[in-house]
Amino acid sequence: QVQLVESGGGLVQAGGSLRLSCAASGRTFSTYAIGWFRQAPGKEREFVAGISRSGGLTYYTDSVKGRFLISRDNAKNTVHLQMNSLKPEDTAVYYCAARSLYYSVSHKDYDYWGQGTQVTVSS
């Protein structure tokens, strides 16, 4: 079991940066792959980035490649999402999620979710 808490969201101007953090509790954190998802009003929840248990494998949706960077520090039970060159279309509630073994691009495959953190990018 793992519990997740996101932080770092806020309001930022287009072109700016934010660093989201996902703090996890539980001794088995290192056994979980972590995914970041986002959901804007009226839209489906979409996959943003994922990272493997060791942090050696990462995956990004096309719209954020080259702008976002996911990383994890298993010793600190923390996953980060560095978001650069933010665009208004990045505005959404961002969630971190965990699943055992491998990451997935489908939110339905994740067992544990944080409460979400709002990211708003203004023009």
Side-chain angles (χ1 to χ4, degrees):
Q1 300 273 329
V2 61
Q3 294 77 46
L4 308 173
V5 179
E6 302 97 333
S7 63
L11 193 154
V12 65
Q13 190 173 347
S17 298
L18 285 173
R19 183 176 175 86
L20 304 184
S21 297
C22 177
S25 63
R27 293 187 64 191
T28 59
F29 175 72
S30 63
T31 70
Y32 293 90
I34 302 296
W36 283 96
F37 293 80
R38 65 187 181 188
Q39 187 166 26
K43 297 183 179 180
E44 298 294 321
R45 187 168 298 186
E46 67 170 341
F47 174 81
V48 177
I51 190 165
S52 63
R53 291 174 293 169
S54 68
L57 298 174
T58 59
Y59 183 79
Y60 302 90
T61 193
D62 286 343
S63 64
V64 307
K65 287 181 179 177
R67 299 190 297 121
F68 291 10
L69 177 66
I70 187 171
S71 62
R72 71 187 295 165
D73 186 342
N74 286 342
K76 297 182 178 180
N77 283 9
T78 304
V79 173
H80 300 287
L81 184 67
Q82 178 67 45
M83 305 186 296
N84 301 316
S85 302
L86 284 162
K87 305 174 181 179
E89 49 263 46
D90 294 320
T91 296
V93 177
Y94 283 71
Y95 302 88
C96 66
R99 71 186 302 267
S100 61
L101 300 178
Y102 306 108
Y103 66 79
S104 171
V105 299
S106 174
H107 70 272
K108 297 180 180 180
D109 292 334
Y110 286 79
D111 301 310
Y112 308 102
W113 292 84
Q115 82 287 352
T117 186
Q118 177 70 49
V119 172
T120 302
V121 184
S122 65
S123 300

